[in-house]
Amino acid sequence: MASMSFSSIFTNNCRSLGGGPVSLLRNLASTHVFCLKKNYKNNNVVVSFCSNKRAFAFQSSKPQVVTHTAAAAASSSVNGYLEYHRLLPCPPENGPPRVEHLVVSEGGPVLEYICKALDLPPLFVADLIHFGAVYYALVCPQPPSSATPEQIKIFKEVTAPSVLKKRASIKGKTVREAQKTFRITHVDQFVEAGTYIRVHVHPKRFPRCYEIDWKSRIIAVTESYVVLDKPAGTSVGGTTDNIEESCATFATRALKLTAPLYTTHQIDNCTEGCVVLARTKEYCSVFHGKIREKKVKKLYLALVSTPLPNGLITHYMRPVNTAPRLVSEDFVKGWQLCQLEVLECKEVLWPDSTIEEKYRVEGCGWPSKDYAYECKINLLTGRTHQVRAQLAACGAPIVGDSMYMPAAIAEMSSPGLNPFGKRKKQYATEDDKEMAIKEWISQHGKEPSVAVGLQACQISWDDGEHFYEAGSPWWRCKKV
């Protein structure tokens, strides 16, 4: 059977720039490269397309072994593989993403196949599987819209009905069902020829997990749930490529529980404060029901750059599942209602440089840093990035919010730049408006690395029968 793989844009030379300037990495990420190589010795043809963050490559024979240096690996080799010291210690910075897509050419243990296909050390691959960074599907998903005719040709070869009907594992399944992806959880899991594998070689890391005294962050423990004062710079339940370095995992270990804790709701990685983790799947479902029935009340403390009046703030959020989240003061059909209530707002000192450095709070170029304003907020609807996007749209971005504060500054400098703001312009055509939206999105920055001035300070449900509060927020000099 033909084999197919999608490779990363970050080749040997590019990966060595992992510690280089951000601007250089962005330039690399935006570069499009086409290459056609022929290996005359083995008569193999490799066609690849390199694009933003990822590259896609199809191979017409067995996967080629590409030698590279993995994170924390030495240059010497052991038994043909690069010497490797596992995925710890955790790197202080996340390197450029690398995702590999493979179609198994010969059945066998998944760890062995990935090691050979990508020339990765066995311990490294075992850790990736433990992190939840390896997925499989019985049949390869559709190639991207950017795929070349050659890539599409090979995809059709490996998914041809005459090939698929010979595989007993997909008998009775539709192609769509067979293309559904699942995590690989065991290093010795058998994968048959034709199986699609996705490997997140550079999973997103959370170094702050190893800096926290997790026992001190436990607010309450009951038979049904645990309430955690989540630290900023951590993920509640993990990411697509890393379920190991999560609050749920580290809280489970801190409490020495025999069963894992379950995520019931999310707050942003850069936000700290109250999070409820279920001890059973049953209570996880129960709590989800309480959220749907609006029985859960959440209060936030937000450290913002300019004062806000008390009262209700209403926006509508664009239903696009990517950041930044765009909000409009005017109703837009199909957009999601976002509401919060500012209960109080008081002037406080802007965090000093020592505190900003400790929590890696980014200045973002805000013009005045003498005073900030601490607002207590009642969150009435729960949308991703809602508080951050709404407050920035009001001209009061959250301190340290490197994604939304740059756009707020841009709007201050060029009133009307925000096509959904108070001073929005009128556009002659829809194309003009689309261009304005793209320009507005480009004014936003990147996700904060650790903390922003936002804390989920209180959570309660069942009319206050269950009520919990977080500790002092980081800007009040709370210890790690």
Side-chain angles (χ1 to χ4, degrees):
M1 172 181 288
S3 75
M4 173 175 59
S5 75
F6 307 76
S7 303
S8 169
I9 182 173
F10 297 101
T11 58
N12 288 338
N13 292 336
C14 295
R15 282 190 213 106
S16 67
L17 298 170
V22 173
S23 59
L24 179 56
L25 292 176
R26 285 177 177 166
N27 288 337
L28 287 171
S30 62
T31 301
H32 291 248
V33 181
F34 294 85
C35 55
L36 176 62
K37 301 177 181 179
K38 187 169 184 179
N39 183 326
Y40 292 97
K41 180 178 180 180
N42 297 317
N43 197 30
N44 297 331
V45 177
V46 181
V47 182
S48 65
F49 167 67
C50 300
S51 63
N52 187 23
K53 292 189 179 180
R54 299 181 184 178
F56 304 92
F58 292 72
Q59 297 179 348
S60 61
S61 66
K62 290 186 177 182
Q64 301 297 296
V65 175
V66 181
T67 303
H68 72 89
T69 303
S75 59
S76 59
S77 62
V78 178
N79 297 328
Y81 293 111
L82 294 172
E83 185 181 354
Y84 174 63
H85 302 291
R86 313 302 295 260
L87 286 177
L88 292 176
C90 184
E93 300 284 348
N94 277 289
R98 178 187 171 198
V99 182
E100 300 283 356
H101 304 255
L102 305 168
V103 171
V104 177
S105 58
E106 185 176 343
V110 66
L111 184 143
E112 180 180 331
Y113 188 84
I114 294 173
C115 288
K116 291 181 179 179
L118 302 179
D119 192 28
L120 294 173
L123 291 179
F124 186 91
V125 176
D127 281 353
L128 290 177
I129 292 172
H130 178 72
F131 268 48
V134 182
Y135 291 78
Y136 80 96
L138 293 174
V139 174
C140 182
Q142 289 283 346
S145 57
S146 56
T148 65
E150 176 67 15
Q151 293 167 349
I152 294 173
K153 175 177 177 290
I154 298 175
F155 166 80
K156 289 180 178 179
E157 288 176 1
V158 299
T159 58
S162 59
V163 174
L164 296 181
K165 72 179 183 180
K166 297 177 182 179
R167 296 176 57 189
S169 60
I170 61 175
K171 187 176 182 180
K173 293 183 175 67
T174 64
V175 172
R176 182 180 293 272
E177 289 171 340
Q179 289 175 332
K180 186 175 181 180
T181 56
F182 301 91
R183 270 196 174 98
I184 288 178
T185 56
H186 299 288
V187 296
D188 57 353
Q189 182 171 329
F190 182 88
V191 287
E192 65 178 357
T195 301
Y196 162 78
I197 298 176
R198 186 175 80 239
V199 185
H200 296 259
V201 183
H202 294 166
K204 181 176 175 62
R205 304 301 301 275
F206 294 90
R208 191 126 197 276
C209 285
Y210 305 96
E211 304 169 4
I212 302 299
D213 175 5
W214 288 91
K215 282 188 177 180
S216 71
R217 309 296 297 216
I218 304 297
I219 298 173
V221 180
T222 74
E223 292 184 358
S224 301
Y225 60 84
V226 170
V227 184
L228 175 72
D229 188 353
K230 174 193 172 297
T234 61
S235 170
V236 177
T239 58
T240 301
D241 52 11
N242 187 346
I243 57 175
E244 162 66 18
E245 293 170 342
S246 70
C247 293
T249 298
F250 278 75
T252 298
R253 290 175 184 163
L255 293 171
K256 298 182 179 179
L257 301 177
T258 56
L261 292 168
Y262 298 92
T263 303
T264 64
H265 63 108
Q266 294 282 352
I267 60 176
D268 291 348
N269 295 345
C270 57
T271 303
E272 65 179 18
C274 296
V275 169
V276 177
L277 301 169
R279 297 188 64 174
T280 64
K281 287 185 178 179
E282 290 74 20
Y283 191 77
C284 191
S285 298
V286 168
F287 198 83
H288 286 162
K290 295 182 185 297
I291 293 175
R292 286 194 302 271
E293 295 164 12
K294 301 188 183 300
K295 292 181 178 179
V296 179
K297 183 178 180 180
K298 300 176 185 177
L299 294 186
Y300 282 78
L301 287 179
L303 188 70
V304 297
S305 308
T306 59
L308 285 166
N310 293 353
L312 184 68
I313 299 177
T314 299
H315 286 92
Y316 298 89
M317 180 176 285
R318 186 176 69 150
V320 175
N321 193 29
T322 56
R325 304 301 172 113
L326 302 187
V327 294
S328 169
E329 291 188 350
D330 297 328
F331 171 79
V332 180
K333 185 177 180 180
W335 286 32
Q336 301 166 328
L337 175 67
C338 294
Q339 287 187 319
L340 58 81
E341 182 183 10
V342 179
L343 303 177
E344 60 182 61
C345 185
K346 62 182 181 181
E347 184 181 276
V348 297
L349 291 175
W350 193 283
D352 63 35
S353 58
T354 303
I355 296 299
E356 286 189 324
E357 183 178 353
K358 181 177 181 180
Y359 291 95
R360 296 174 65 187
V361 177
E362 301 180 50
C364 309
W366 190 257
S368 174
K369 294 186 179 180
D370 295 325
Y371 296 97
Y373 300 85
E374 186 179 280
C375 298
K376 182 172 284 188
I377 293 171
N378 179 18
L379 187 61
L380 302 176
T381 57
R383 312 292 184 194
T384 301
H385 290 200
Q386 178 185 330
V387 178
R388 297 164 58 192
Q390 282 196 270
L391 298 189
C394 293
I398 291 172
V399 170
D401 196 340
S402 55
M403 173 162 284
Y404 293 94
M405 185 178 277
I409 294 172
E411 173 71 2
M412 289 168 56
S413 303
S414 304
L417 185 62
N418 180 358
F420 304 107
K422 287 182 180 179
R423 293 171 287 188
K424 60 180 176 291
K425 300 174 183 177
Q426 296 298 319
Y427 302 99
T429 66
E430 283 300 314
D431 287 344
D432 289 343
K433 187 172 183 179
E434 283 300 316
M435 288 295 294
I437 292 172
K438 290 180 180 178
E439 171 63 19
W440 177 237
I441 290 173
S442 72
Q443 300 302 317
H444 292 72
K446 59 182 177 61
E447 268 293 284
S449 55
V450 177
V452 299
L454 188 60
Q455 182 201 55
C457 63
Q458 291 181 10
I459 190 166
S460 61
W461 59 95
D462 295 343
D463 295 323
E465 180 180 343
H466 305 269
F467 178 90
Y468 301 98
E469 288 186 298
S472 296
W474 62 261
W475 57 88
R476 296 183 192 165
C477 303
K478 181 176 64 177
K479 294 182 179 180
V480 179

